[in-house]
Amino acid sequence: MTRAPRRPARSALLLAALLASAACTGPATDRPADDKAALTEQQAELLALTRFTNYRSAAGTVTATIPVQGRTLRLDGRLDWRVHTGYAELRDETPGAATRWRHLLRWNRGTVSARFNWTGPRPDEPPADGWSERRLEPRSATVDSTLLLLLSLGSDRPENAQLLVRSSARFLGHEKISGVPVTVFSGPGTADAPGSTAQSAPGTPGRTRYWIDADGGLRRFAARLGGSGTWMTADISRQPPSPPTPSASAAP
């Protein structure tokens, strides 16, 4: 396996800082991490490569489940980790709900645009007009937190594996996703984030989970946002580079 260069990147730790202030949301297997093993150097190298692997792939597809205030939302679309944009359909899939809705979303790290109450199939490219734009509010809006976290899963350099070894990240075990063996990790806790004032003990599990294949590819990601005990989960599939997704703030 290619060893991640010793670079000063701290994306996973900065992600922990974002989670410390994010809103609450939804489901994944919430396995305890306190009694799991600290990362070996080899495991840290694998986790350190994940965001860089996404960045090198440039683009990926995502299917995320986002519980919000008793409702179940589903996000289906694509991500461009090099230009930090996304384009997806967001729909309400709450069981037994009297009303359902579907919106198109496009976003970057600062803004999100919505095409409300979309009725047809999701177009391959965003429609030219009809968008309503606003700033992302990840500290107060669950969906916004999710959108920003998904863009954060790509980085132009590997993490610093030595920092991950010393962090509260943990090895949780081995599983398979669609027949592909993956290693499951708990990400660093909020106390590991630069400048964090969190009072977590060193062994406190992080609010993220990573399912990573042998090539460093992220197959699944989960995050527990805010103080909620439920999880947002996202299945990730890398794909060959495609034309850049228009920025959420770009003129139609």
Side-chain angles (χ1 to χ4, degrees):
M1 181 182 302
T2 303
R3 297 172 67 86
R6 303 299 186 183
R7 304 288 294 273
R10 298 187 178 187
S11 300
L13 304 185
L14 291 172
L15 179 57
L18 170 64
L19 287 166
S21 60
C24 302
T25 138
T29 302
D30 187 7
R31 66 185 80 197
D34 292 322
D35 59 348
K36 300 297 181 179
L39 301 186
T40 65
E41 183 175 342
Q42 183 178 16
Q43 291 166 350
E45 298 283 3
L46 182 63
L47 182 57
L49 281 172
T50 298
R51 285 182 176 79
F52 185 53
T53 300
N54 284 343
Y55 181 85
R56 287 189 300 179
S57 297
T61 59
V62 59
T63 299
T65 301
I66 315 170
V68 181
Q69 297 179 344
R71 304 190 74 84
T72 301
L73 307 186
R74 179 67 59 89
L75 183 80
D76 283 295
R78 68 175 187 258
L79 305 166
D80 190 318
W81 289 297
R82 289 191 179 175
V83 297
H84 306 292
T85 60
Y87 169 55
E89 171 189 300
L90 181 69
R91 62 185 181 270
D92 188 342
E93 290 196 344
T94 306
T99 59
R100 298 286 180 91
W101 48 260
R102 295 169 61 235
H103 306 324
L104 297 181
L105 300 181
R106 62 180 188 180
W107 71 98
N108 56 33
R109 291 182 293 187
T111 62
V112 57
S113 295
R115 189 74 151 70
F116 295 109
N117 300 314
W118 189 260
T119 57
R122 173 167 57 90
D124 291 337
E125 299 299 328
D129 54 19
W131 296 93
S132 298
E133 181 183 308
R134 63 172 176 79
R135 292 200 61 78
L136 279 175
E137 298 291 344
R139 294 185 178 226
S140 59
T142 296
V143 171
D144 289 13
S145 298
T146 299
L147 299 180
L148 193 56
L149 286 169
L150 293 174
L151 294 186
S152 77
L153 296 176
S155 176
D156 63 358
R157 66 188 64 187
E159 311 288 346
N160 186 319
Q162 292 179 341
L163 288 179
L164 290 174
V165 168
R166 297 196 298 267
S167 76
S168 60
R170 293 291 182 267
F171 164 70
L172 299 183
H174 297 286
E175 295 181 7
K176 288 187 177 181
I177 296 179
S178 300
V180 177
V182 292
T183 305
V184 188
F185 297 102
S186 168
T190 53
D192 297 306
S196 173
T197 58
Q199 298 300 312
S200 303
T204 300
R207 295 176 180 271
T208 53
R209 299 288 187 268
Y210 301 83
W211 286 255
I212 303 173
D213 64 29
D215 296 324
L218 182 64
R219 296 294 181 128
R220 180 172 293 159
F221 171 75
R224 183 176 60 209
L225 307 183
S228 175
T230 56
W231 291 77
M232 174 276 291
T233 59
D235 285 334
I236 306 290
S237 178
R238 289 173 289 138
Q239 62 187 37
S242 58
T245 301
S247 169
S249 59

